[in-house]
Amino acid sequence: MNFDDATLAQVRAAEPDASTWVAANAGSGKTRVLTDRVARLLLHGTKPQKILCLTYTKAAASEMQNRLFERLGEWAMMPDADLRLALTKLGEEDQLSEDGLRAARRLFANALETPGGLKIQTIHSFCDKLLRRFPLEAGVSPQFEVLEDRQAKLLRSEILEELAVGTGIVAVDRLARFMSGLEPDALLAEIASKRKNLDIDAVRQLLSSAENDDPSTFLDQILGSDGRDVLRDVARVIREEQTNEKPAVAVDQMAEAKSIDAFLKAALGTLLFKSGAKAFSVKVDKLPTQAPVRKNHPELVEAVNDIAERTAEFYWRHVNHLALERAEALAAFSDAFLGRYDQRKLDTGRLDYDDLIARAGALLSHSKSAQWVLYKLDGGIDHILVDEAQDTSPSQWDVVKSLTDEFTAGDGGQNTNRTVFVVGDEKQSIYSFQGADPKKFDVMRKRFSDRLASVDQRLEEQDLAYSFRSSDPVLRLVDKVFDGDAGAGFRKQSLHRPFFTELPGRVDLWPFEEKVTIKDETPWFKPVDTPEPDNPQIVLARKVADWIAEILASGQELPG
């Protein structure tokens, strides 16, 4: 059967006998390829329980399972001619015999009767079941409960309140100096999920010079014995020889500053560039600001430039000191918070989602029982499929690596045809979500390729470039974005190609919404966190709503 280029790429990606790494553009039929590959594995005689498909969300797992059962159910009831056509479109011309058709029709019943069902699940669900199967080896309670997001948020809030009124109040107060007025749970969730990154020793090494600094001496070292007098003279001559009062006010503030923070605040934009490519560097020979002052008082310009040079040096020393102080405050608070958080989970027999990944990873790689657990699993999984790989975090990759390393070790890499299928796209990564690192996508591709090569196997690489979802103008815009500076750090991306070449499309670029002043007439009884009417997001939302209303009122319809 002759396939078009888009379908041919999907058929090759779903080839069941090959380990394949797929870079799939948005709208390129990724879910179909995953479903096709599982269906073809079943057609080739793989038992359903030997397949593990790891998806990113419960919705994605449910969608894929529904599609697969729908496909297999249709095969069970199709006339011979229709089934042969369906298998041919799948790329299974070798399965068109009577025996092949009978095997295809039995797949639906086989899948339904599989103990535990098809293993199409999120990685958290897989780790949950793994820990329940080997609780003693993992060091967890056999009856542990999973701490859902809502429960975890409530627990974090309770612990914060306890710390704020108990022995942890010092740590809370210390950290509070550096926090904005936003909801603190976002920070608490980050601390709980990224505890491995809380390496205060690394911060100290990076900012080692800050440890030996005494910030209380910074201002005296900048100004010296006569710096305040110099600045007062500068402010005086500015007022005498130019009409602009603003520079004189800033210089006055520096001369009378009681703290390094107040001094630097006034110095930015006056002694130092405040923004742009030269931000925080000295405004050399531009002080005071206008030519007559510089011409008539060269000795003051020289004295002020000396102060400016010292200000630039101590600005960064001050920044380093604050960074170290913030890191130490975060570390002290994290120790107090995580101690209580972990103890509370232990007391109640609960594991949060990060615990599931961490415990499973440790069980498969670091525990004394790791080899035995992998041996038991080794007899149960022959094919692993990983969906949305660009959003897989390093700790989640550790779990996948431990499972797939068995495929290329000993008998596992030689006597059984075992495959790995990974699909994702760095461009679609939800950056840093759950610790995801899109650069890891390419790192893992090379690792899998090297591991398979060590047992004389090959990792096939396939791009799904055709989009069935969008039109050429939209796709070309995305390609332009990733072809420029915004695409730095990514491997060379495959260009999007529209499957429906005649589909019309348009890209509208709207300007940024800047804050404008609108009279706030919000009633007093509304919640205090109600967005202000001049909030740029609210303004933009209104414009979007108005635009949609206008399109609807015009009767304009999208083609198709």
Side-chain angles (χ1 to χ4, degrees):
M1 184 174 186
N2 292 325
F3 295 112
D4 56 62
D5 290 344
T7 305
L8 182 60
Q10 292 179 335
V11 170
R12 287 174 175 170
E15 176 59 49
D17 296 327
S19 289
T20 309
W21 192 277
V22 181
N25 285 335
S28 58
K30 172 176 60 65
T31 304
R32 174 186 168 177
V33 170
L34 281 163
T35 306
D36 287 354
R37 188 176 178 94
V38 174
R40 294 177 70 177
L41 283 169
L42 296 174
L43 276 171
H44 282 235
T46 302
K47 295 180 179 179
Q49 61 267 31
K50 297 281 188 179
I51 302 170
L52 172 62
C53 183
L54 299 175
T55 63
Y56 202 63
T57 64
K58 292 178 181 178
S62 177
E63 169 71 9
M64 184 177 170
Q65 188 151 317
N66 289 341
R67 285 198 192 190
L68 182 61
F69 276 118
E70 182 179 359
R71 171 83 59 83
L72 300 182
E74 289 174 349
W75 287 356
M77 303 299 293
M78 275 184 178
D80 287 357
D82 292 342
L83 182 53
R84 285 192 174 94
L85 179 60
L87 295 178
T88 301
K89 289 181 178 179
L90 201 61
E92 291 293 335
E93 290 88 348
D94 296 337
Q95 301 290 329
L96 304 183
S97 65
E98 291 296 329
D99 288 342
L101 296 184
R102 278 195 294 271
R105 290 195 172 97
R106 285 196 295 266
L107 293 179
F108 182 66
N110 291 343
L112 286 177
E113 294 169 359
T114 298
L118 286 169
K119 286 185 273 195
I120 301 175
Q121 54 199 180
T122 67
I123 192 165
H124 292 103
S125 178
F126 169 76
C127 292
D128 183 352
K129 292 182 179 180
L130 178 68
L131 295 177
R132 295 187 190 281
R133 183 177 174 186
F134 303 101
L136 298 181
E137 294 81 358
V140 301
S141 167
Q143 286 84 35
F144 75 83
E145 296 180 9
V146 177
L147 190 65
E148 300 291 342
D149 288 337
R150 181 174 171 276
Q151 296 171 321
K153 183 175 181 179
L154 182 61
L155 178 57
R156 291 191 296 264
S157 177
E158 291 174 355
I159 293 174
L160 180 61
E161 289 185 14
E162 292 173 6
L163 290 172
V165 297
T167 56
I169 190 170
V170 174
V172 173
D173 288 346
R174 188 177 174 188
L175 183 64
R177 293 177 48 216
F178 302 104
M179 290 184 64
S180 68
L182 298 178
E183 173 65 36
D185 186 67
L187 175 62
L188 300 180
E190 288 284 292
I191 291 173
S193 65
K194 297 181 180 177
R195 62 180 69 200
K196 288 184 178 180
N197 298 333
L198 294 170
D199 188 352
I200 188 61
D201 291 331
V203 175
R204 286 197 180 100
Q205 185 176 0
L206 185 64
L207 303 173
S208 56
S209 61
E211 287 196 292
N212 301 319
D213 274 336
D214 181 0
S216 65
T217 68
F218 286 176
L219 190 53
D220 290 338
Q221 293 185 66
I222 291 174
L223 294 174
S225 59
D226 61 348
R228 293 186 187 276
D229 291 335
V230 169
L231 292 172
R232 291 185 184 108
D233 288 342
V234 170
R236 175 179 53 79
V237 299
I238 290 176
R239 288 189 171 94
E240 290 175 353
E241 301 198 22
Q242 64 186 49
T243 58
N244 189 356
E245 172 76 3
K246 189 175 180 179
V249 172
V251 175
D252 272 336
Q253 290 173 343
M254 286 185 282
E256 305 306 325
K258 303 300 183 185
S259 68
I260 184 65
D261 291 295
F263 180 86
L264 291 175
K265 183 177 180 181
L268 287 176
T270 307
L271 296 183
L272 308 179
F273 288 104
K274 190 173 184 178
S275 60
K278 297 181 179 180
F280 317 121
S281 63
V282 178
K283 287 186 170 182
V284 180
D285 296 329
K286 295 186 180 300
L287 301 170
T289 55
Q290 293 188 6
V293 179
R294 296 199 299 274
K295 179 179 179 181
N296 298 335
H297 302 277
E299 73 290 347
L300 279 181
V301 171
E302 183 177 353
V304 172
N305 280 341
D306 288 342
I307 294 175
E309 293 289 348
R310 294 194 294 273
T311 301
E313 174 193 349
F314 279 92
Y315 174 83
W316 291 111
R317 290 172 67 173
H318 181 62
V319 167
N320 286 348
H321 178 80
L322 289 178
L324 181 59
E325 191 176 350
R326 280 194 295 267
E328 290 175 334
L330 179 61
F333 174 82
S334 298
D335 285 344
F337 172 78
L338 290 173
R340 294 198 180 206
Y341 186 64
D342 292 341
Q343 187 61 49
R344 193 68 61 81
K345 288 188 295 181
L346 182 62
D347 292 344
T348 57
R350 291 177 173 178
L351 299 177
D352 63 22
Y353 289 118
D354 295 307
D355 291 330
L356 294 177
I357 301 296
R359 297 274 188 159
L363 172 65
L364 295 174
S365 57
H366 304 308
S367 71
K368 294 180 180 179
S369 305
Q371 291 304 314
W372 183 80
V373 171
L374 287 169
Y375 170 75
K376 296 293 287 183
L377 287 177
D378 199 34
I381 301 174
D382 286 342
H383 304 276
I384 294 180
L385 299 86
V386 181
D387 187 18
E388 303 291 5
Q390 76 280 353
D391 289 323
T392 303
S393 69
S395 59
Q396 292 169 351
W397 275 123
D398 289 341
V399 174
V400 176
K401 283 190 297 185
S402 296
L403 294 172
T404 55
D405 281 352
E406 290 301 298
F407 288 14
T408 56
D411 291 340
Q414 298 174 9
N415 297 336
T416 306
N417 181 30
R418 314 178 78 182
T419 66
V420 176
F421 177 85
V422 179
V423 60
D425 179 16
E426 298 124 303
K427 299 189 297 298
Q428 300 180 62
S429 178
I430 310 172
Y431 302 111
S432 79
F433 180 62
Q434 294 189 354
D437 180 0
K439 295 184 178 66
K440 196 80 172 177
F441 184 74
D442 208 38
V443 172
M444 293 306 300
R445 177 192 58 78
K446 186 177 186 308
R447 185 184 188 281
F448 279 113
S449 180
D450 293 343
R451 293 282 302 189
L452 288 167
S454 69
V455 291
D456 297 325
Q457 295 183 25
R458 173 183 171 86
L459 180 68
E460 302 292 340
E461 296 185 33
Q462 180 68 53
D463 284 349
L464 299 182
Y466 281 91
S467 173
F468 296 87
R469 183 184 300 165
S470 195
S471 61
D472 185 58
V474 177
L475 299 177
R476 281 191 288 114
L477 176 66
V478 176
D479 288 341
K480 284 289 186 182
V481 169
F482 282 90
D483 191 41
D485 293 339
F490 292 90
R491 70 188 179 95
K492 183 64 178 176
Q493 300 291 312
S494 62
L495 296 179
H496 288 83
R497 302 180 68 180
F499 184 78
F500 302 105
T501 55
E502 302 302 319
L503 190 68
R506 187 179 79 182
V507 176
D508 290 352
L509 298 179
W510 286 16
F512 284 107
E513 290 296 337
E514 298 185 4
K515 194 174 181 71
V516 296
T517 301
I518 300 176
K519 185 178 180 181
D520 190 352
E521 298 180 348
T522 304
W524 65 268
F525 51 82
K526 289 289 186 181
V528 295
D529 58 353
T530 299
E532 299 175 357
D534 56 354
N535 184 305
Q537 292 179 327
I538 301 297
V539 174
L540 178 60
R542 289 198 186 99
K543 288 191 175 182
V544 172
D546 291 343
W547 180 79
I548 293 173
E550 184 179 337
I551 294 294
L552 293 175
S554 69
Q556 180 179 339
E557 294 183 1
L558 292 175

